[in-house]
Each structure stands twice: as structure tokens, then as C-alpha cells.
Amino acid sequence: MATLRLLTLMGLLLALVVSAMGVIYVKYHTRLMFIEIQKQEAALDQYEVEWGQLQLELTTLTEENQLELLARDKLKLVVPQRDKIIYIKP
């Protein structure tokens, strides 16, 4: 009878230790995942800022007047005369 109690106690103690180790393992991996999530959220925030800047730049550059001014001033381009334009069918 005493041996049975001792075996039961040892089994419960072993189960307690295994359970505690499992909790520690899960908690450690949860912290690692949380750190990775924080890094990815910071990267996402940076990408969103960059996306906003690119959208603003695209809006600025796609304005017809802005493109025409850049073409005239920097590239010295001019609009060809209507009779100089050649249309090619695909």
C-alpha cells in the first residue's frame, strides 16, 4: 500500500515537472513570436510611410504641367507640329 502511494506521488510529481517545463517552453516561444511580430509591425509602418511618400511623388509627377515643364526645361523637348507626327498601325 505504501509502495502504491509512493509510486502515485512520484507519478504526480513527474507530471507536475513535465507540465511546468511545458509552460516554460510555450512561454519562451510566445515571447519570441511577440518580438518577431513587433519587428514586422515596425517594418510595415516604415513601408506605409514610404508608400505614402511615393504616392505623393507620383501625384506630383503625373500632373500634366509638371511633366511638360520638366520635359521642356531639363530635356529641351518640344511638342512636334501636327504635320510632323507619323502614326504607325500595329
Side-chain angles (χ1 to χ4, degrees), residues 23 53-54 72-73 80 84 90:
V23 169
Q53 291 171 344
L54 289 173
R72 284 186 183 162
D73 295 340
K84 300 287 184 188

Side-chain angles (χ1 to χ4, degrees), residues 52-70:
Q53 291 171 344
L54 289 173
Q55 289 292 329
L56 183 60
E57 184 178 346
L58 179 65
T59 303
T60 303
L61 289 176
T62 55
E63 290 180 9
E64 189 175 326
N65 295 337
Q66 185 71 20
L67 285 176
E68 190 173 339
L69 289 173
L70 284 172

Side-chain angles (χ1 to χ4, degrees), residues 9-10 34 36 49 60 77:
L9 184 61
M10 289 299 219
F34 180 76
E36 185 62 29
V49 168
T60 303
L77 297 177

Side-chain angles (χ1 to χ4, degrees), residues 10-80:
M10 289 299 219
L12 289 174
L13 185 61
L14 180 63
L16 179 67
V17 170
V18 169
S19 175
M21 295 300 286
V23 169
I24 292 169
Y25 177 78
V26 168
K27 187 70 172 177
Y28 173 74
H29 280 286
T30 303
R31 286 182 181 168
L32 288 180
M33 286 189 285
F34 180 76
I35 291 169
E36 185 62 29
I37 288 171
Q38 293 297 317
K39 287 179 185 177
Q40 295 300 322
E41 285 180 349
L44 177 63
D45 290 342
Q46 182 61 34
Y47 288 135
E48 286 178 353
V49 168
E50 185 178 350
W51 175 253
Q53 291 171 344
L54 289 173
Q55 289 292 329
L56 183 60
E57 184 178 346
L58 179 65
T59 303
T60 303
L61 289 176
T62 55
E63 290 180 9
E64 189 175 326
N65 295 337
Q66 185 71 20
L67 285 176
E68 190 173 339
L69 289 173
L70 284 172
R72 284 186 183 162
D73 295 340
K74 292 191 176 186
L75 301 175
K76 307 298 184 207
L77 297 177
V78 293
V79 177

